[in-house]
């Protein structure tokens, strides 16, 4: 049994879903692990992780628009030091996830055919987001 | 330290919560692991996983109805290739989870007394859903 | 490779976010693990886990108020045996998480600078909440 750990940086240019499935699978392929558990962890409170459909890109547009309606910019929040998109970013992060664990089988993640891994950026300005990958297996 | 991996299929007949705690615990019992970590992964973007109350069945009815209101069928979505329940299914999946990891102690999952594991089906038609179980421990 | 498992009790006095990052990191420090995966599991269906901003406390107030609006007390729920806060508690738990897995690097959780671990209590009365910590690594 062995472990690997890796840091990944993702540059975002405004709100929306950024796919990084291939960055994860390329790193995984180098680790020579047949069976294991891969964990993806996002080190932020205003960006999150989603496994979502990787086929029709309009799904991502609808997801982004939906979360904008569900956690809208509003003057009712107490916390708004960093602008109107600040508190909605925390809420959208709370409603989704900052961590995903995906089993590895035959050297590959067991993602379904239509599943891709996305960073969901909730801030309007450009950011450099840090993701940690942890793998355990053999 | 050892690992086991297993695929489980769950047949669904329309939207709602389908408990499969016993399928997981029966498989776990066969693995002869005292202490470990069990991961449940759903390979879909229109069905998800929930740990919820296993006592009063009306909780599941209220949960289903609530998510129908929170992510309703609507003509405002761009993506609707597969019908009116398509995009709400993606949104409900984003709002819940496709993965759960549960510690194992004394050979059993550490679920609380009232916690059951559910597949949350978000599509109206019948589906065969694939779940992957991964276990590591000793 | 080794494992450790531990139970933690958190006393809550009404709805809101209770930070317990230091309880987790103190236990972790005693386990002498350099690289690994730490899983935090909440054994309840009316309290949940969140990783959220640990700086400005008003973020936690806004989060609590937001979830109160998103899953309000209401006479439309069928299940209300334990009071008006019962069903909203289940819904808030479904919308957040009962499990978090955090990679461990150089003996510490890879949390970002602004990330704290919170128990999100959804019931109005006082409760004693059980959390299980599982660690695997070396």
């Amino acid at each position: 049994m062995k472990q690997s750990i890796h840091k990944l940086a993702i540059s975002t240019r405004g709100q929306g879903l950024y796919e990084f499935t291939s960055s994860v699978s390329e790193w995984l392929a180098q680790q020579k692990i047949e069976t294991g558990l891969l964990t993806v962890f996002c080190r932020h409170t205003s960006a999150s992780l989603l496994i979502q459909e990787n086929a029709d890109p309009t799904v991502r547009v609808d997801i982004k628009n939906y979360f904008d309606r569900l956690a809208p910019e509003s003057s009712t929040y107490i916390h708004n030091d960093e602008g109107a998109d600040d508190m909605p970013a925390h809420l959208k992060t709370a409603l989704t996830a900052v961590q995903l664990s995906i089993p590895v089988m035959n050297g590959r993640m067991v993602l379904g055919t239509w599943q891709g891994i996305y960073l969901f950026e909730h801030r309007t300005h450009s950011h450099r987001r840090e993701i940690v990958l942890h793998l355990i297996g053999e």
Side-chain angles (χ1 to χ4, degrees), chain A:
Chain A
M1 199 77 63
K2 68 170 193 168
Q3 297 181 101
S4 301
I5 202 156
H6 182 61
K7 280 191 185 173
L8 210 67
I10 300 178
S11 294
T12 60
R13 303 159 308 282
Q15 299 177 328
L17 280 81
Y18 296 80
E19 184 164 17
F20 65 105
T21 317
S22 62
S23 304
V24 179
S25 56
E26 282 161 25
W27 176 75
L28 173 61
Q30 295 161 11
Q31 308 313 311
K32 314 284 180 202
I33 293 234
E34 272 297 292
T35 303
L37 186 69
L38 175 75
T39 298
V40 186
F41 186 85
C42 176
R43 303 183 71 218
H44 305 276
T45 60
S46 57
S48 56
L49 301 174
L50 269 189
I51 289 184
Q52 265 297 337
E53 173 168 324
N54 56 9
D56 185 350
T58 61
V59 173
R60 272 106 75 188
V61 178
D62 281 334
I63 288 176
K64 185 206 167 294
N65 291 343
Y66 173 77
F67 277 90
D68 285 348
R69 289 194 302 272
L70 193 63
E73 298 191 2
S74 159
S75 57
T76 64
Y77 305 123
I78 308 168
H79 175 84
N80 57 6
D81 302 356
E82 296 177 46
D85 64 330
D86 186 2
M87 200 56 222
H90 291 304
L91 299 175
K92 292 168 186 173
T93 300
L95 288 167
T96 51
V98 293
Q99 168 263 323
L100 300 168
S101 291
I102 307 163
V104 172
M105 205 170 161
N106 304 320
R108 302 174 67 167
M109 292 181 279
V110 298
L111 291 171
T113 315
W114 311 109
Q115 286 183 317
I117 307 172
Y118 294 87
L119 177 75
F120 197 175
E121 175 60 72
H122 304 304
R123 302 303 305 267
T124 51
H125 289 296
S126 294
H127 278 83
R128 187 181 172 279
R129 299 304 195 172
E130 277 188 21
I131 304 292
V132 177
L133 305 181
H134 173 271
L135 178 64
I136 185 167
E138 66 184 352

